[in-house]
Short mmCIF file of all heavy atoms in Angstrom, two decimals:
data_model
loop_
_atom_site.label_atom_id
_atom_site.label_comp_id
_atom_site.label_asym_id
_atom_site.label_seq_id
_atom_site.Cartn_x
_atom_site.Cartn_y
_atom_site.Cartn_z
N ALA J 1187 -0.51 -13.89 13.51
CA ALA J 1187 -0.26 -12.79 14.41
C ALA J 1187 1.22 -12.38 14.51
O ALA J 1187 1.46 -11.33 14.97
CB ALA J 1187 -0.82 -13.06 15.79
N HIS J 1188 2.07 -13.22 14.03
CA HIS J 1188 3.54 -12.85 14.17
C HIS J 1188 3.83 -11.65 13.24
O HIS J 1188 4.94 -11.07 13.46
CB HIS J 1188 4.40 -14.09 13.72
CG HIS J 1188 4.08 -14.54 12.34
ND1 HIS J 1188 3.09 -15.41 12.06
CD2 HIS J 1188 4.73 -14.41 11.22
CE1 HIS J 1188 3.09 -15.70 10.81
NE2 HIS J 1188 4.11 -15.01 10.15
N ILE J 1190 2.02 -8.85 13.08
CA ILE J 1190 1.42 -7.58 13.45
C ILE J 1190 2.40 -6.55 13.89
O ILE J 1190 2.17 -5.39 13.72
CB ILE J 1190 0.34 -7.84 14.62
CG1 ILE J 1190 0.96 -8.20 15.84
CG2 ILE J 1190 -0.69 -8.85 14.18
CD1 ILE J 1190 -0.05 -8.19 17.07
N GLU J 1191 3.53 -6.92 14.43
CA GLU J 1191 4.56 -5.95 14.81
C GLU J 1191 5.10 -5.24 13.59
O GLU J 1191 5.09 -3.91 13.65
CB GLU J 1191 5.73 -6.55 15.49
CG GLU J 1191 6.84 -5.50 15.98
CD GLU J 1191 8.03 -6.20 16.56
OE1 GLU J 1191 8.06 -7.40 16.59
OE2 GLU J 1191 8.90 -5.45 16.86
N SER J 1192 5.40 -5.87 12.55
CA SER J 1192 5.89 -5.17 11.30
C SER J 1192 4.80 -4.37 10.64
O SER J 1192 5.11 -3.30 10.10
CB SER J 1192 6.56 -6.14 10.35
OG SER J 1192 5.56 -7.13 9.91
N ASP J 1347 9.87 0.69 18.79
CA ASP J 1347 9.03 -0.19 19.62
C ASP J 1347 7.59 0.15 19.48
O ASP J 1347 7.16 1.33 19.79
CB ASP J 1347 9.49 -0.06 21.10
CG ASP J 1347 8.75 -1.01 22.05
OD1 ASP J 1347 8.03 -1.81 21.50
OD2 ASP J 1347 9.00 -0.80 23.19
N VAL J 1348 6.81 -0.66 18.83
CA VAL J 1348 5.36 -0.43 18.73
C VAL J 1348 4.61 -0.88 19.87
O VAL J 1348 3.36 -0.69 20.04
CB VAL J 1348 4.84 -1.12 17.35
CG1 VAL J 1348 5.58 -0.66 16.12
CG2 VAL J 1348 4.96 -2.69 17.57
N GLY J 1349 5.23 -1.54 20.78
CA GLY J 1349 4.56 -2.12 21.99
C GLY J 1349 3.77 -1.14 22.84
O GLY J 1349 2.59 -1.35 23.08
N PRO J 1350 4.33 0.02 23.14
CA PRO J 1350 3.48 1.02 23.88
C PRO J 1350 2.25 1.45 23.16
O PRO J 1350 1.17 1.66 23.76
CB PRO J 1350 4.46 2.23 24.07
CG PRO J 1350 5.81 1.64 24.06
CD PRO J 1350 5.72 0.51 23.03
N VAL J 1351 2.33 1.66 21.86
CA VAL J 1351 1.14 2.06 21.11
C VAL J 1351 0.12 0.94 21.05
O VAL J 1351 -1.13 1.23 21.32
CB VAL J 1351 1.50 2.47 19.71
CG1 VAL J 1351 0.25 2.75 18.87
CG2 VAL J 1351 2.50 3.69 19.65
N LEU J 1352 0.54 -0.30 20.83
CA LEU J 1352 -0.38 -1.39 20.84
C LEU J 1352 -1.04 -1.54 22.18
O LEU J 1352 -2.23 -1.87 22.27
CB LEU J 1352 0.31 -2.61 20.35
CG LEU J 1352 0.85 -2.71 18.87
CD1 LEU J 1352 1.38 -3.96 18.51
CD2 LEU J 1352 -0.32 -2.36 17.93
N ARG J 1353 -0.28 -1.46 23.20
CA ARG J 1353 -0.74 -1.60 24.57
C ARG J 1353 -1.84 -0.52 24.88
O ARG J 1353 -2.85 -0.84 25.34
CB ARG J 1353 0.39 -1.42 25.61
CG ARG J 1353 -0.05 -1.56 27.03
CD ARG J 1353 1.05 -1.38 27.97
NE ARG J 1353 1.59 0.01 27.95
CZ ARG J 1353 2.81 0.26 27.58
NH1 ARG J 1353 3.66 -0.60 27.34
NH2 ARG J 1353 3.20 1.59 27.53
N ASP J 1354 -1.67 0.70 24.58
CA ASP J 1354 -2.50 1.80 24.96
C ASP J 1354 -3.68 1.90 23.94
O ASP J 1354 -4.77 2.10 24.36
CB ASP J 1354 -1.79 3.15 24.90
CG ASP J 1354 -0.67 3.20 25.94
OD1 ASP J 1354 -0.74 2.43 26.87
OD2 ASP J 1354 0.24 4.00 25.79
N LEU J 1356 -4.71 -0.61 21.59
CA LEU J 1356 -5.37 -1.77 21.16
C LEU J 1356 -5.74 -2.60 22.37
O LEU J 1356 -6.96 -2.80 22.71
CB LEU J 1356 -4.51 -2.62 20.27
CG LEU J 1356 -5.07 -4.01 19.82
CD1 LEU J 1356 -6.45 -3.85 19.16
CD2 LEU J 1356 -4.15 -4.75 18.97
N PHE J 1357 -4.78 -3.10 23.12
CA PHE J 1357 -5.02 -4.05 24.19
C PHE J 1357 -5.80 -3.40 25.39
O PHE J 1357 -6.60 -4.09 26.05
CB PHE J 1357 -3.80 -4.70 24.74
CG PHE J 1357 -3.02 -5.42 23.65
CD1 PHE J 1357 -1.74 -5.12 23.31
CD2 PHE J 1357 -3.64 -6.45 22.92
CE1 PHE J 1357 -0.99 -5.87 22.31
CE2 PHE J 1357 -2.94 -7.18 22.00
CZ PHE J 1357 -1.65 -6.83 21.70
N LEU J 1365 -4.75 -13.81 19.44
CA LEU J 1365 -3.57 -13.79 18.50
C LEU J 1365 -3.20 -15.24 18.32
O LEU J 1365 -2.93 -15.98 19.26
CB LEU J 1365 -2.52 -12.96 19.05
CG LEU J 1365 -2.70 -11.55 19.46
CD1 LEU J 1365 -2.84 -11.40 20.96
CD2 LEU J 1365 -1.64 -10.61 18.91
N LEU J 1370 4.50 -17.93 17.06
CA LEU J 1370 4.66 -17.03 18.16
C LEU J 1370 5.56 -17.47 19.24
O LEU J 1370 6.12 -16.71 20.04
CB LEU J 1370 3.24 -16.79 18.78
CG LEU J 1370 2.14 -16.26 17.93
CD1 LEU J 1370 0.86 -16.05 18.64
CD2 LEU J 1370 2.57 -14.93 17.26
N ARG J 1378 7.17 -14.95 25.88
CA ARG J 1378 7.66 -13.71 26.43
C ARG J 1378 8.26 -12.80 25.47
O ARG J 1378 7.95 -11.55 25.54
CB ARG J 1378 8.65 -14.01 27.59
CG ARG J 1378 8.03 -14.37 28.93
CD ARG J 1378 9.05 -14.62 30.02
NE ARG J 1378 9.90 -15.89 29.64
CZ ARG J 1378 10.82 -16.38 30.40
NH1 ARG J 1378 11.07 -15.75 31.57
NH2 ARG J 1378 11.45 -17.45 30.14
N PHE J 1379 9.04 -13.20 24.43
CA PHE J 1379 9.67 -12.26 23.58
C PHE J 1379 8.61 -11.62 22.77
O PHE J 1379 8.66 -10.37 22.54
CB PHE J 1379 10.67 -12.97 22.71
CG PHE J 1379 11.28 -12.13 21.64
CD1 PHE J 1379 12.33 -11.28 22.03
CD2 PHE J 1379 10.88 -12.19 20.37
CE1 PHE J 1379 12.86 -10.43 21.00
CE2 PHE J 1379 11.37 -11.36 19.39
CZ PHE J 1379 12.45 -10.50 19.70
N PHE J 1380 7.72 -12.41 22.20
CA PHE J 1380 6.67 -11.91 21.36
C PHE J 1380 5.84 -10.91 22.17
O PHE J 1380 5.45 -9.81 21.66
CB PHE J 1380 5.83 -12.99 20.74
CG PHE J 1380 4.67 -12.49 19.91
CD1 PHE J 1380 4.80 -11.97 18.69
CD2 PHE J 1380 3.30 -12.57 20.48
CE1 PHE J 1380 3.70 -11.54 17.95
CE2 PHE J 1380 2.28 -12.16 19.72
CZ PHE J 1380 2.47 -11.62 18.45
N ARG J 1381 5.35 -11.23 23.34
CA ARG J 1381 4.60 -10.36 24.21
C ARG J 1381 5.30 -9.02 24.43
O ARG J 1381 4.66 -7.92 24.45
CB ARG J 1381 4.19 -11.11 25.56
CG ARG J 1381 3.17 -12.12 25.36
CD ARG J 1381 2.99 -12.89 26.60
NE ARG J 1381 2.92 -12.08 27.86
CZ ARG J 1381 2.92 -12.53 29.07
NH1 ARG J 1381 3.05 -13.84 29.31
NH2 ARG J 1381 2.86 -11.70 30.07
N GLN J 1382 6.57 -9.09 24.71
CA GLN J 1382 7.37 -7.91 25.02
C GLN J 1382 7.41 -7.01 23.78
O GLN J 1382 7.15 -5.74 23.84
CB GLN J 1382 8.77 -8.24 25.37
CG GLN J 1382 9.68 -7.01 25.59
CD GLN J 1382 11.11 -7.42 25.85
OE1 GLN J 1382 11.48 -8.57 25.88
NE2 GLN J 1382 12.03 -6.42 25.92
N ARG J 1383 7.51 -7.58 22.58
CA ARG J 1383 7.58 -6.74 21.35
C ARG J 1383 6.28 -6.10 21.02
O ARG J 1383 6.23 -5.02 20.49
CB ARG J 1383 7.95 -7.64 20.12
CG ARG J 1383 9.42 -8.25 20.31
CD ARG J 1383 10.48 -7.16 20.34
NE ARG J 1383 10.36 -6.27 19.21
CZ ARG J 1383 11.08 -5.10 19.10
NH1 ARG J 1383 11.80 -4.73 20.15
NH2 ARG J 1383 10.93 -4.35 18.07
N ILE J 1384 5.11 -6.63 21.41
CA ILE J 1384 3.88 -5.99 21.09
C ILE J 1384 3.19 -5.36 22.32
O ILE J 1384 2.08 -4.88 22.19
CB ILE J 1384 2.90 -7.11 20.42
CG1 ILE J 1384 2.55 -8.17 21.49
CG2 ILE J 1384 3.42 -7.68 19.23
CD1 ILE J 1384 1.45 -9.09 20.95
N GLY J 1385 3.88 -5.20 23.41
CA GLY J 1385 3.34 -4.49 24.51
C GLY J 1385 2.27 -5.23 25.33
O GLY J 1385 1.40 -4.61 25.87
N LEU J 1386 2.31 -6.51 25.30
CA LEU J 1386 1.21 -7.37 25.98
C LEU J 1386 1.72 -7.86 27.29
O LEU J 1386 2.60 -8.71 27.41
CB LEU J 1386 0.88 -8.52 25.10
CG LEU J 1386 -0.33 -9.27 25.50
CD1 LEU J 1386 -1.57 -8.50 25.70
CD2 LEU J 1386 -0.62 -10.43 24.49
N SER J 1387 1.29 -7.18 28.36
CA SER J 1387 1.79 -7.52 29.70
C SER J 1387 1.15 -8.78 30.36
O SER J 1387 1.93 -9.56 30.99
CB SER J 1387 1.62 -6.32 30.64
OG SER J 1387 0.15 -6.02 30.68
#
Side-chain angles (χ1 to χ4, degrees):
H1188 59 277
I1190 70 171
E1191 182 187 359
S1192 61
D1347 184 6
V1348 300
V1351 176
L1352 295 181
R1353 180 184 63 241
D1354 297 339
L1356 176 60
F1357 300 124
L1365 304 106
L1370 298 184
R1378 277 180 294 182
F1379 177 77
F1380 177 72
R1381 284 171 46 186
Q1382 176 187 356
R1383 296 299 303 168
I1384 63 171
L1386 187 55
S1387 56

